Amino acid sequence: MPAHQSRSRTRDRNNVLNRPEFISLNQPLARSSAELRSSSRRHSAQAGQFKQPQSQQEPQQQPQQQQNGNTRDRKDSAQQQPEEDCMQLNPSFKGIAYNSLLAIDICMSKRMGVCAFKTSSWGSVRSMVTLLAMTGHGVVWIGVTLICLTRSSTLAGQEVLVNLLLALILDIMTVAGVQKLMKRKGPLEVSPGFLDYISMDMYAFPAAHASRATMVSKFLLNHLVLAVPLRILLVLWAFLMGISRILQGRHHITDVMCGFALGFLHYKLVEMVWLSSNACQTLISIWTFSWSPFFN
């Protein structure tokens, strides 16, 4: 064993402080419970002081973060927004004018629908307006044309009646197709009648009665010899036909105006493809199953 280790041990033995009764003097003094509580309170107070500014800063930072997030969302939505929506948000002069005219048309048409119901302001004359509108139904005109065609005995009369029948069929099919395509409802919720279902007059645009009245009146004025009072009455009938449909709440003003224009186009088309007397006789023979014109 080395000599310096033995010397250190003898020193420790001879040292009085290393004895058991003096061991507590060599260790650090333990803190009392009161001192421990006071120190813990001091540490907690200091931690609270540090936490309070952070807690005060967090509510201030949250609105700023929300504002930043909203601005970012707006920028992203503006970048991702299609051009059509941008055009709706910034309408052109044409769009403003179109919407304004449409609003005026709807407002005036609703105000003019004074015979739509029995409780309306002009409900007392509703039956007369309905009777006037019935004279413009396609089914009524086709039935009257067929009756006149069976009673006619002249070739000229049969020629006019056959072309009128084809014009009525063209008018009904064209108006029904356009109405099915547009599907515009009337200004007032008026259910269509039985004849309207048969003639496929279910929607508002264009006005079928106005189109038919214009076409028929123009056709008869051109191909029949009528007195001046009758010609005036025929034109007045066509005009009142369109007005009656507005009074009943079935059509807008623009629907009736477009119906007048469409009826005039139908008349021009029929005049362009006018069937001759021989062609009309052939159609009549096919209809009556008589083939006598082919053997003459």
Side-chain angles (χ1 to χ4, degrees), residues 171 175 179 201 203-213 241-242 245-246 250-260 262-263:
D171 180 80
V175 172
Q179 286 185 356
D201 188 8
Y203 297 98
F205 182 85
H209 287 66
S211 174
R212 194 171 304 114
M241 182 60 61
R245 300 299 284 176
I246 299 174
R250 289 296 309 277
H251 297 284
H252 301 85
I253 298 173
T254 53
D255 301 336
V256 174
M257 294 174 64
C258 292
F260 287 148
L262 187 61

PDB file of all heavy atoms in Angstrom, residues 171 175 179 201 203-213 241-242 245-246 250-260 262-263:
ATOM      1  N   ASP A 171     -97.596  26.679 -86.829  1.00  0.00           N
ATOM      2  CA  ASP A 171     -97.590  27.625 -85.700  1.00  0.00           C
ATOM      3  C   ASP A 171     -97.625  26.889 -84.365  1.00  0.00           C
ATOM      4  O   ASP A 171     -96.875  27.228 -83.439  1.00  0.00           O
ATOM      5  CB  ASP A 171     -98.793  28.560 -85.830  1.00  0.00           C
ATOM      6  CG  ASP A 171     -98.861  29.570 -84.706  1.00  0.00           C
ATOM      7  OD1 ASP A 171     -98.130  30.574 -84.767  1.00  0.00           O
ATOM      8  OD2 ASP A 171     -99.632  29.344 -83.748  1.00  0.00           O
ATOM      9  N   VAL A 175     -94.341  27.096 -81.842  1.00  0.00           N
ATOM     10  CA  VAL A 175     -94.516  27.760 -80.549  1.00  0.00           C
ATOM     11  C   VAL A 175     -94.317  26.770 -79.407  1.00  0.00           C
ATOM     12  O   VAL A 175     -93.682  27.092 -78.395  1.00  0.00           O
ATOM     13  CB  VAL A 175     -95.905  28.420 -80.483  1.00  0.00           C
ATOM     14  CG1 VAL A 175     -96.178  28.940 -79.079  1.00  0.00           C
ATOM     15  CG2 VAL A 175     -95.994  29.565 -81.482  1.00  0.00           C
ATOM     16  N   GLN A 179     -91.473  27.214 -76.554  1.00  0.00           N
ATOM     17  CA  GLN A 179     -91.882  27.252 -75.154  1.00  0.00           C
ATOM     18  C   GLN A 179     -91.207  26.148 -74.349  1.00  0.00           C
ATOM     19  O   GLN A 179     -90.790  26.371 -73.199  1.00  0.00           O
ATOM     20  CB  GLN A 179     -93.400  27.116 -75.050  1.00  0.00           C
ATOM     21  CG  GLN A 179     -94.173  28.353 -75.453  1.00  0.00           C
ATOM     22  CD  GLN A 179     -95.659  28.206 -75.212  1.00  0.00           C
ATOM     23  OE1 GLN A 179     -96.136  27.135 -74.811  1.00  0.00           O
ATOM     24  NE2 GLN A 179     -96.413  29.262 -75.452  1.00  0.00           N
ATOM     25  N   ASP A 201     -99.771  24.493 -75.097  1.00  0.00           N
ATOM     26  CA  ASP A 201     -99.498  25.881 -74.718  1.00  0.00           C
ATOM     27  C   ASP A 201     -99.314  25.919 -73.202  1.00  0.00           C
ATOM     28  O   ASP A 201    -100.194  26.346 -72.455  1.00  0.00           O
ATOM     29  CB  ASP A 201    -100.649  26.780 -75.168  1.00  0.00           C
ATOM     30  CG  ASP A 201    -100.344  28.256 -74.972  1.00  0.00           C
ATOM     31  OD1 ASP A 201     -99.196  28.582 -74.627  1.00  0.00           O
ATOM     32  OD2 ASP A 201    -101.259  29.080 -75.155  1.00  0.00           O
ATOM     33  N   TYR A 203     -96.274  27.105 -71.443  1.00  0.00           N
ATOM     34  CA  TYR A 203     -95.398  28.135 -70.902  1.00  0.00           C
ATOM     35  C   TYR A 203     -95.759  29.498 -71.491  1.00  0.00           C
ATOM     36  O   TYR A 203     -96.683  29.617 -72.305  1.00  0.00           O
ATOM     37  CB  TYR A 203     -93.941  27.790 -71.165  1.00  0.00           C
ATOM     38  CG  TYR A 203     -93.494  26.523 -70.479  1.00  0.00           C
ATOM     39  CD1 TYR A 203     -93.447  25.312 -71.168  1.00  0.00           C
ATOM     40  CD2 TYR A 203     -93.127  26.529 -69.143  1.00  0.00           C
ATOM     41  CE1 TYR A 203     -93.042  24.144 -70.540  1.00  0.00           C
ATOM     42  CE2 TYR A 203     -92.716  25.372 -68.499  1.00  0.00           C
ATOM     43  CZ  TYR A 203     -92.672  24.180 -69.205  1.00  0.00           C
ATOM     44  OH  TYR A 203     -92.280  23.027 -68.576  1.00  0.00           O
ATOM     45  N   ALA A 204     -95.026  30.522 -71.065  1.00  0.00           N
ATOM     46  CA  ALA A 204     -95.394  31.902 -71.393  1.00  0.00           C
ATOM     47  C   ALA A 204     -94.732  32.416 -72.663  1.00  0.00           C
ATOM     48  O   ALA A 204     -95.355  33.155 -73.430  1.00  0.00           O
ATOM     49  CB  ALA A 204     -95.045  32.826 -70.223  1.00  0.00           C
ATOM     50  N   PHE A 205     -93.470  32.065 -72.877  1.00  0.00           N
ATOM     51  CA  PHE A 205     -92.738  32.660 -74.004  1.00  0.00           C
ATOM     52  C   PHE A 205     -92.567  31.645 -75.131  1.00  0.00           C
ATOM     53  O   PHE A 205     -92.048  30.549 -74.905  1.00  0.00           O
ATOM     54  CB  PHE A 205     -91.354  33.121 -73.547  1.00  0.00           C
ATOM     55  CG  PHE A 205     -90.556  33.796 -74.626  1.00  0.00           C
ATOM     56  CD1 PHE A 205     -90.711  35.140 -74.878  1.00  0.00           C
ATOM     57  CD2 PHE A 205     -89.668  33.070 -75.407  1.00  0.00           C
ATOM     58  CE1 PHE A 205     -89.980  35.764 -75.876  1.00  0.00           C
ATOM     59  CE2 PHE A 205     -88.937  33.675 -76.401  1.00  0.00           C
ATOM     60  CZ  PHE A 205     -89.098  35.031 -76.634  1.00  0.00           C
ATOM     61  N   PRO A 206     -92.977  32.018 -76.363  1.00  0.00           N
ATOM     62  CA  PRO A 206     -93.766  33.191 -76.759  1.00  0.00           C
ATOM     63  C   PRO A 206     -95.256  32.925 -76.586  1.00  0.00           C
ATOM     64  O   PRO A 206     -95.664  31.790 -76.357  1.00  0.00           O
ATOM     65  CB  PRO A 206     -93.395  33.360 -78.226  1.00  0.00           C
ATOM     66  CG  PRO A 206     -93.115  31.969 -78.697  1.00  0.00           C
ATOM     67  CD  PRO A 206     -92.544  31.222 -77.531  1.00  0.00           C
ATOM     68  N   ALA A 207     -96.054  33.990 -76.732  1.00  0.00           N
ATOM     69  CA  ALA A 207     -97.501  33.856 -76.574  1.00  0.00           C
ATOM     70  C   ALA A 207     -98.101  33.178 -77.805  1.00  0.00           C
ATOM     71  O   ALA A 207     -98.035  33.715 -78.916  1.00  0.00           O
ATOM     72  CB  ALA A 207     -98.139  35.227 -76.360  1.00  0.00           C
ATOM     73  N   ALA A 208     -98.640  31.986 -77.605  1.00  0.00           N
ATOM     74  CA  ALA A 208     -99.171  31.220 -78.738  1.00  0.00           C
ATOM     75  C   ALA A 208    -100.402  31.888 -79.342  1.00  0.00           C
ATOM     76  O   ALA A 208    -100.575  31.904 -80.569  1.00  0.00           O
ATOM     77  CB  ALA A 208     -99.510  29.802 -78.273  1.00  0.00           C
ATOM     78  N   HIS A 209    -101.269  32.435 -78.500  1.00  0.00           N
ATOM     79  CA  HIS A 209    -102.485  33.073 -79.011  1.00  0.00           C
ATOM     80  C   HIS A 209    -102.143  34.302 -79.858  1.00  0.00           C
ATOM     81  O   HIS A 209    -102.762  34.536 -80.901  1.00  0.00           O
ATOM     82  CB  HIS A 209    -103.393  33.468 -77.857  1.00  0.00           C
ATOM     83  CG  HIS A 209    -104.078  32.317 -77.210  1.00  0.00           C
ATOM     84  ND1 HIS A 209    -103.398  31.340 -76.506  1.00  0.00           N
ATOM     85  CD2 HIS A 209    -105.400  31.973 -77.149  1.00  0.00           C
ATOM     86  CE1 HIS A 209    -104.261  30.459 -76.044  1.00  0.00           C
ATOM     87  NE2 HIS A 209    -105.477  30.810 -76.423  1.00  0.00           N
ATOM     88  N   ALA A 210    -101.166  35.081 -79.400  1.00  0.00           N
ATOM     89  CA  ALA A 210    -100.769  36.268 -80.168  1.00  0.00           C
ATOM     90  C   ALA A 210    -100.148  35.872 -81.500  1.00  0.00           C
ATOM     91  O   ALA A 210    -100.431  36.487 -82.542  1.00  0.00           O
ATOM     92  CB  ALA A 210     -99.791  37.107 -79.360  1.00  0.00           C
ATOM     93  N   SER A 211     -99.328  34.838 -81.502  1.00  0.00           N
ATOM     94  CA  SER A 211     -98.722  34.373 -82.748  1.00  0.00           C
ATOM     95  C   SER A 211     -99.775  33.848 -83.718  1.00  0.00           C
ATOM     96  O   SER A 211     -99.770  34.174 -84.913  1.00  0.00           O
ATOM     97  CB  SER A 211     -97.702  33.270 -82.441  1.00  0.00           C
ATOM     98  OG  SER A 211     -97.191  32.697 -83.622  1.00  0.00           O
ATOM     99  N   ARG A 212    -100.712  33.072 -83.204  1.00  0.00           N
ATOM    100  CA  ARG A 212    -101.753  32.491 -84.060  1.00  0.00           C
ATOM    101  C   ARG A 212    -102.699  33.562 -84.598  1.00  0.00           C
ATOM    102  O   ARG A 212    -103.087  33.534 -85.770  1.00  0.00           O
ATOM    103  CB  ARG A 212    -102.517  31.446 -83.268  1.00  0.00           C
ATOM    104  CG  ARG A 212    -103.387  30.521 -84.080  1.00  0.00           C
ATOM    105  CD  ARG A 212    -103.886  29.422 -83.205  1.00  0.00           C
ATOM    106  NE  ARG A 212    -102.790  28.704 -82.570  1.00  0.00           N
ATOM    107  CZ  ARG A 212    -102.554  28.702 -81.258  1.00  0.00           C
ATOM    108  NH1 ARG A 212    -103.327  29.379 -80.436  1.00  0.00           N
ATOM    109  NH2 ARG A 212    -101.535  28.017 -80.771  1.00  0.00           N
ATOM    110  N   ALA A 213    -103.056  34.512 -83.754  1.00  0.00           N
ATOM    111  CA  ALA A 213    -103.965  35.569 -84.195  1.00  0.00           C
ATOM    112  C   ALA A 213    -103.322  36.447 -85.269  1.00  0.00           C
ATOM    113  O   ALA A 213    -103.983  36.829 -86.247  1.00  0.00           O
ATOM    114  CB  ALA A 213    -104.375  36.424 -82.997  1.00  0.00           C
ATOM    115  N   MET A 241    -106.483  39.937 -78.804  1.00  0.00           N
ATOM    116  CA  MET A 241    -106.121  38.574 -78.403  1.00  0.00           C
ATOM    117  C   MET A 241    -104.871  38.578 -77.530  1.00  0.00           C
ATOM    118  O   MET A 241    -104.801  37.889 -76.498  1.00  0.00           O
ATOM    119  CB  MET A 241    -105.903  37.710 -79.648  1.00  0.00           C
ATOM    120  CG  MET A 241    -105.566  36.263 -79.348  1.00  0.00           C
ATOM    121  SD  MET A 241    -106.855  35.434 -78.411  1.00  0.00           S
ATOM    122  CE  MET A 241    -108.213  35.579 -79.561  1.00  0.00           C
ATOM    123  N   GLY A 242    -103.865  39.350 -77.961  1.00  0.00           N
ATOM    124  CA  GLY A 242    -102.651  39.435 -77.142  1.00  0.00           C
ATOM    125  C   GLY A 242    -102.891  40.136 -75.820  1.00  0.00           C
ATOM    126  O   GLY A 242    -102.362  39.728 -74.773  1.00  0.00           O
ATOM    127  N   ARG A 245    -104.535  37.892 -73.110  1.00  0.00           N
ATOM    128  CA  ARG A 245    -103.653  36.935 -72.430  1.00  0.00           C
ATOM    129  C   ARG A 245    -102.831  37.618 -71.333  1.00  0.00           C
ATOM    130  O   ARG A 245    -102.489  36.990 -70.331  1.00  0.00           O
ATOM    131  CB  ARG A 245    -102.727  36.286 -73.452  1.00  0.00           C
ATOM    132  CG  ARG A 245    -103.441  35.527 -74.541  1.00  0.00           C
ATOM    133  CD  ARG A 245    -104.258  34.384 -73.982  1.00  0.00           C
ATOM    134  NE  ARG A 245    -103.418  33.274 -73.615  1.00  0.00           N
ATOM    135  CZ  ARG A 245    -103.867  32.166 -73.035  1.00  0.00           C
ATOM    136  NH1 ARG A 245    -105.157  32.059 -72.732  1.00  0.00           N
ATOM    137  NH2 ARG A 245    -103.033  31.181 -72.733  1.00  0.00           N
ATOM    138  N   ILE A 246    -102.552  38.905 -71.514  1.00  0.00           N
ATOM    139  CA  ILE A 246    -101.872  39.645 -70.449  1.00  0.00           C
ATOM    140  C   ILE A 246    -102.829  39.901 -69.292  1.00  0.00           C
ATOM    141  O   ILE A 246    -102.456  39.795 -68.116  1.00  0.00           O
ATOM    142  CB  ILE A 246    -101.306  40.968 -70.998  1.00  0.00           C
ATOM    143  CG1 ILE A 246    -100.280  40.691 -72.095  1.00  0.00           C
ATOM    144  CG2 ILE A 246    -100.653  41.776 -69.883  1.00  0.00           C
ATOM    145  CD1 ILE A 246     -99.775  41.942 -72.793  1.00  0.00           C
ATOM    146  N   ARG A 250    -101.428  35.204 -67.996  1.00  0.00           N
ATOM    147  CA  ARG A 250    -100.756  34.048 -68.589  1.00  0.00           C
ATOM    148  C   ARG A 250     -99.436  34.419 -69.278  1.00  0.00           C
ATOM    149  O   ARG A 250     -98.553  33.576 -69.410  1.00  0.00           O
ATOM    150  CB  ARG A 250    -101.685  33.389 -69.620  1.00  0.00           C
ATOM    151  CG  ARG A 250    -102.872  32.662 -69.028  1.00  0.00           C
ATOM    152  CD  ARG A 250    -102.437  31.477 -68.170  1.00  0.00           C
ATOM    153  NE  ARG A 250    -101.512  30.628 -68.867  1.00  0.00           N
ATOM    154  CZ  ARG A 250    -101.852  29.670 -69.725  1.00  0.00           C
ATOM    155  NH1 ARG A 250    -103.128  29.455 -69.980  1.00  0.00           N
ATOM    156  NH2 ARG A 250    -100.933  28.929 -70.320  1.00  0.00           N
ATOM    157  N   HIS A 251     -99.322  35.652 -69.745  1.00  0.00           N
ATOM    158  CA  HIS A 251     -98.142  36.047 -70.502  1.00  0.00           C
ATOM    159  C   HIS A 251     -97.663  37.429 -70.062  1.00  0.00           C
ATOM    160  O   HIS A 251     -98.445  38.255 -69.569  1.00  0.00           O
ATOM    161  CB  HIS A 251     -98.442  36.083 -72.012  1.00  0.00           C
ATOM    162  CG  HIS A 251     -98.811  34.755 -72.586  1.00  0.00           C
ATOM    163  ND1 HIS A 251     -97.898  33.771 -72.849  1.00  0.00           N
ATOM    164  CD2 HIS A 251    -100.027  34.246 -72.939  1.00  0.00           C
ATOM    165  CE1 HIS A 251     -98.510  32.707 -73.347  1.00  0.00           C
ATOM    166  NE2 HIS A 251     -99.806  32.975 -73.407  1.00  0.00           N
ATOM    167  N   HIS A 252     -96.364  37.646 -70.271  1.00  0.00           N
ATOM    168  CA  HIS A 252     -95.794  38.972 -70.085  1.00  0.00           C
ATOM    169  C   HIS A 252     -96.023  39.822 -71.343  1.00  0.00           C
ATOM    170  O   HIS A 252     -96.436  39.313 -72.383  1.00  0.00           O
ATOM    171  CB  HIS A 252     -94.294  38.885 -69.804  1.00  0.00           C
ATOM    172  CG  HIS A 252     -93.956  38.089 -68.588  1.00  0.00           C
ATOM    173  ND1 HIS A 252     -93.817  36.718 -68.603  1.00  0.00           N
ATOM    174  CD2 HIS A 252     -93.718  38.482 -67.306  1.00  0.00           C
ATOM    175  CE1 HIS A 252     -93.518  36.285 -67.397  1.00  0.00           C
ATOM    176  NE2 HIS A 252     -93.440  37.340 -66.591  1.00  0.00           N
ATOM    177  N   ILE A 253     -95.714  41.087 -71.216  1.00  0.00           N
ATOM    178  CA  ILE A 253     -95.851  41.978 -72.364  1.00  0.00           C
ATOM    179  C   ILE A 253     -94.878  41.582 -73.463  1.00  0.00           C
ATOM    180  O   ILE A 253     -95.219  41.565 -74.650  1.00  0.00           O
ATOM    181  CB  ILE A 253     -95.633  43.438 -71.923  1.00  0.00           C
ATOM    182  CG1 ILE A 253     -96.691  43.846 -70.902  1.00  0.00           C
ATOM    183  CG2 ILE A 253     -95.676  44.384 -73.118  1.00  0.00           C
ATOM    184  CD1 ILE A 253     -96.465  45.207 -70.285  1.00  0.00           C
ATOM    185  N   THR A 254     -93.649  41.252 -73.082  1.00  0.00           N
ATOM    186  CA  THR A 254     -92.656  40.829 -74.084  1.00  0.00           C
ATOM    187  C   THR A 254     -93.029  39.508 -74.738  1.00  0.00           C
ATOM    188  O   THR A 254     -92.701  39.286 -75.908  1.00  0.00           O
ATOM    189  CB  THR A 254     -91.274  40.715 -73.422  1.00  0.00           C
ATOM    190  OG1 THR A 254     -91.368  39.857 -72.263  1.00  0.00           O
ATOM    191  CG2 THR A 254     -90.763  42.073 -72.983  1.00  0.00           C
ATOM    192  N   ASP A 255     -93.707  38.626 -74.014  1.00  0.00           N
ATOM    193  CA  ASP A 255     -94.166  37.365 -74.608  1.00  0.00           C
ATOM    194  C   ASP A 255     -95.151  37.627 -75.743  1.00  0.00           C
ATOM    195  O   ASP A 255     -95.085  37.004 -76.806  1.00  0.00           O
ATOM    196  CB  ASP A 255     -94.816  36.486 -73.544  1.00  0.00           C
ATOM    197  CG  ASP A 255     -93.871  36.149 -72.405  1.00  0.00           C
ATOM    198  OD1 ASP A 255     -92.649  36.185 -72.631  1.00  0.00           O
ATOM    199  OD2 ASP A 255     -94.359  35.871 -71.301  1.00  0.00           O
ATOM    200  N   VAL A 256     -96.073  38.564 -75.506  1.00  0.00           N
ATOM    201  CA  VAL A 256     -97.079  38.888 -76.524  1.00  0.00           C
ATOM    202  C   VAL A 256     -96.427  39.572 -77.723  1.00  0.00           C
ATOM    203  O   VAL A 256     -96.759  39.283 -78.885  1.00  0.00           O
ATOM    204  CB  VAL A 256     -98.179  39.769 -75.903  1.00  0.00           C
ATOM    205  CG1 VAL A 256     -99.158  40.243 -76.968  1.00  0.00           C
ATOM    206  CG2 VAL A 256     -98.921  38.998 -74.820  1.00  0.00           C
ATOM    207  N   MET A 257     -95.482  40.471 -77.465  1.00  0.00           N
ATOM    208  CA  MET A 257     -94.808  41.153 -78.570  1.00  0.00           C
ATOM    209  C   MET A 257     -94.019  40.168 -79.422  1.00  0.00           C
ATOM    210  O   MET A 257     -94.058  40.232 -80.666  1.00  0.00           O
ATOM    211  CB  MET A 257     -93.894  42.245 -78.018  1.00  0.00           C
ATOM    212  CG  MET A 257     -94.629  43.386 -77.335  1.00  0.00           C
ATOM    213  SD  MET A 257     -93.529  44.576 -76.553  1.00  0.00           S
ATOM    214  CE  MET A 257     -92.672  45.229 -77.984  1.00  0.00           C
ATOM    215  N   CYS A 258     -93.329  39.256 -78.780  1.00  0.00           N
ATOM    216  CA  CYS A 258     -92.600  38.223 -79.536  1.00  0.00           C
ATOM    217  C   CYS A 258     -93.564  37.294 -80.254  1.00  0.00           C
ATOM    218  O   CYS A 258     -93.257  36.783 -81.342  1.00  0.00           O
ATOM    219  CB  CYS A 258     -91.694  37.431 -78.595  1.00  0.00           C
ATOM    220  SG  CYS A 258     -90.313  38.368 -77.915  1.00  0.00           S
ATOM    221  N   GLY A 259     -94.734  37.056 -79.673  1.00  0.00           N
ATOM    222  CA  GLY A 259     -95.741  36.241 -80.347  1.00  0.00           C
ATOM    223  C   GLY A 259     -96.243  36.912 -81.616  1.00  0.00           C
ATOM    224  O   GLY A 259     -96.433  36.251 -82.645  1.00  0.00           O
ATOM    225  N   PHE A 260     -96.454  38.226 -81.563  1.00  0.00           N
ATOM    226  CA  PHE A 260     -96.851  38.956 -82.772  1.00  0.00           C
ATOM    227  C   PHE A 260     -95.790  38.829 -83.875  1.00  0.00           C
ATOM    228  O   PHE A 260     -96.114  38.575 -85.040  1.00  0.00           O
ATOM    229  CB  PHE A 260     -97.077  40.430 -82.443  1.00  0.00           C
ATOM    230  CG  PHE A 260     -98.323  40.703 -81.657  1.00  0.00           C
ATOM    231  CD1 PHE A 260     -98.378  41.752 -80.754  1.00  0.00           C
ATOM    232  CD2 PHE A 260     -99.453  39.907 -81.812  1.00  0.00           C
ATOM    233  CE1 PHE A 260     -99.537  42.014 -80.033  1.00  0.00           C
ATOM    234  CE2 PHE A 260    -100.614  40.154 -81.098  1.00  0.00           C
ATOM    235  CZ  PHE A 260    -100.654  41.208 -80.200  1.00  0.00           C
ATOM    236  N   LEU A 262     -93.484  36.478 -84.178  1.00  0.00           N
ATOM    237  CA  LEU A 262     -93.387  35.098 -84.648  1.00  0.00           C
ATOM    238  C   LEU A 262     -94.546  34.735 -85.573  1.00  0.00           C
ATOM    239  O   LEU A 262     -94.361  34.006 -86.560  1.00  0.00           O
ATOM    240  CB  LEU A 262     -93.357  34.152 -83.436  1.00  0.00           C
ATOM    241  CG  LEU A 262     -93.089  32.676 -83.723  1.00  0.00           C
ATOM    242  CD1 LEU A 262     -91.721  32.502 -84.372  1.00  0.00           C
ATOM    243  CD2 LEU A 262     -93.167  31.860 -82.428  1.00  0.00           C
ATOM    244  N   GLY A 263     -95.741  35.232 -85.298  1.00  0.00           N
ATOM    245  CA  GLY A 263     -96.863  34.979 -86.191  1.00  0.00           C
ATOM    246  C   GLY A 263     -96.667  35.599 -87.559  1.00  0.00           C
ATOM    247  O   GLY A 263     -97.034  34.996 -88.587  1.00  0.00           O
TER     248      GLY A 263
END
